[in-house]
Amino acid sequence: MSDLHAEPLSPIDAATLWPQLHRLDTEVIALRGGQNLLVSSGLAATGITRLPRVPRTAVVGLRRGLSYRGVAVGRELAGGAGWDVASLRIGRPRDDDAVAALLVGLSREVALRGGRILYLRYAEGSPHAAALRRAGFYAYRLERLYAVRGGRHEPPAGGPFRPAQRSDRAGIFRLYCRAVPEIVRRNEAPGQQEFRAVLDSFDCEHEYVAEGEGGALAAWVGIGEREAHLLFDGPRELLEAALDLVEAHVPRHGTLVVAEHQPALESAAHERGYPALGVRLMCARRLARAETIKEVVAVPAESFPVPQ
């Protein structure tokens, strides 16, 4: 077992790390805005005002003199229970010890900040898979990625979908419980607070919902800057309407994410001719709650009343 230890970096350290990022040119996981988080956290520490809201971040690094062997960035997700590994970069094409040390250090920092679970995505067949497992991450779901030609047409007016509202959160969670197998939910989001974190990790800028029989939500569509996600528990016609909505609003080079437990969605993607881009694994690591040890003061035994 390696004796490497990743150290948490202050926001100022994270900002000064920016000029060295070109040396850390091996990205272990799919980049999810980690570089922007480094810069934003550094700017926020300088006191510059009128910046966009910066999510709470944790940055750990492996120092090698004045340079870095690797750096990892985590961001807090909605609800505070879950965190996402936004970026993990190393200076060599393969460095299992550094990858494991960075993730262990990031897990420790997230646990100290009250996080209960840390999520991570990586490409299937990655040469760093063994190091990720060594750091305590286990894969519980496959995600297949398909290219979508966005902006091809507008969905018909008066369709079944409407913009999601804050009051729909409980209904979306109930839809998630119906549409996702229990073995996945147990590892990913056993409760609504963890589900808020998973939903936030999708980076959706626009959300749409459709109601089924009895008023319960039968479909949810989340569309972000790069990806589109679907939850579905209804007839095939509703699924086709959901894909029409995705094609109308997804960016020109957008990606449809299809989980392995969504065979109907995968079949519909094949029928529409969406090119397959690859497969990635969704991983998680459960974290124990970290509490600092309270200071202990010795008290003389004579100070305690002794029963007569």
Side-chain angles (χ1 to χ4, degrees):
M1 184 68 181
S2 173
D3 57 353
L4 294 176
H5 296 284
E7 302 174 354
L9 306 181
S10 69
I12 293 295
D13 291 333
T16 58
L17 173 64
W18 175 255
Q20 302 187 41
L21 279 182
H22 68 281
R23 302 175 187 171
L24 305 174
D25 56 356
T26 299
E27 182 69 41
V28 175
I29 63 170
L31 185 64
R32 300 176 67 80
Q35 294 182 4
N36 294 332
L37 287 177
L38 281 172
V39 177
S40 300
S41 59
L43 289 174
T46 65
I48 298 177
T49 57
R50 286 184 288 187
L51 285 173
R53 181 181 178 276
V54 179
R56 192 181 183 199
T57 58
V59 184
V60 298
L62 276 177
R63 297 177 186 269
R64 186 172 53 192
L66 297 178
S67 61
Y68 287 85
R69 184 171 167 179
V71 62
V73 182
R75 60 164 181 162
E76 185 183 35
L77 299 171
W83 286 62
D84 189 26
V85 180
S87 179
L88 199 161
R89 302 170 69 91
I90 54 178
R92 305 175 187 171
R94 179 84 177 267
D95 194 345
D96 287 358
D97 290 341
V99 170
L102 286 167
L103 288 175
V104 169
L106 186 61
S107 299
R108 185 185 308 110
E109 185 69 13
V110 168
L112 287 171
R113 299 187 183 199
R116 298 199 298 265
I117 187 170
L118 186 59
Y119 300 104
L120 178 148
R121 295 171 173 88
Y122 73 92
E124 186 182 42
S126 168
H128 311 285
L132 298 175
R133 289 193 296 268
R134 203 172 90 190
F137 286 85
Y138 55 89
Y140 62 86
R141 187 177 69 186
L142 285 175
E143 294 179 336
R144 294 180 172 86
L145 309 180
Y146 292 89
V148 180
R149 293 182 294 274
R152 291 196 297 176
H153 60 80
E154 285 292 330
F161 284 90
R162 60 173 175 81
Q165 302 174 357
R166 188 179 183 88
S167 58
D168 293 319
R169 288 302 181 200
I172 297 173
F173 178 63
R174 288 192 290 270
L175 170 63
Y176 168 81
C177 293
R178 298 195 310 271
V180 177
E182 192 271 339
I183 188 172
V184 175
R185 300 198 312 271
R186 185 172 63 243
N187 290 306
E188 181 178 66
Q192 191 165 358
Q193 189 178 15
E194 289 88 355
F195 176 68
R196 286 183 61 195
V198 172
L199 208 62
D200 190 23
S201 74
F202 292 160
D203 290 329
C204 297
E205 298 178 353
H206 306 284
E207 299 180 42
Y208 303 89
V209 294
E211 297 177 353
E213 296 181 0
L217 296 183
W220 168 88
V221 177
I223 300 175
E225 183 180 352
R226 296 181 296 271
E227 297 177 352
H229 297 258
L230 273 73
L231 289 173
F232 173 78
D233 182 32
R236 179 61 183 252
E237 294 77 13
L238 191 58
L239 179 58
E240 296 294 338
L243 291 177
D244 289 341
L245 186 67
V246 169
E247 291 179 2
H249 295 288
V250 79
R252 183 174 299 274
H253 301 291
T255 302
L256 175 66
V257 180
V258 181
E260 60 180 329
H261 55 263
Q262 295 179 309
L265 179 57
E266 185 175 3
S267 175
H270 283 297
E271 291 176 5
R272 293 193 176 216
Y274 295 168
L277 299 178
V279 180
R280 71 184 179 197
L281 285 80
M282 183 74 176
C283 305
R285 176 177 175 176
R286 289 283 172 184
L287 306 175
R289 183 173 178 177
E291 293 282 0
T292 56
I293 299 177
K294 303 298 187 292
E295 193 172 327
V296 179
V297 179
V299 178
E302 294 78 9
S303 63
F304 289 95
V306 179
Q308 301 296 327

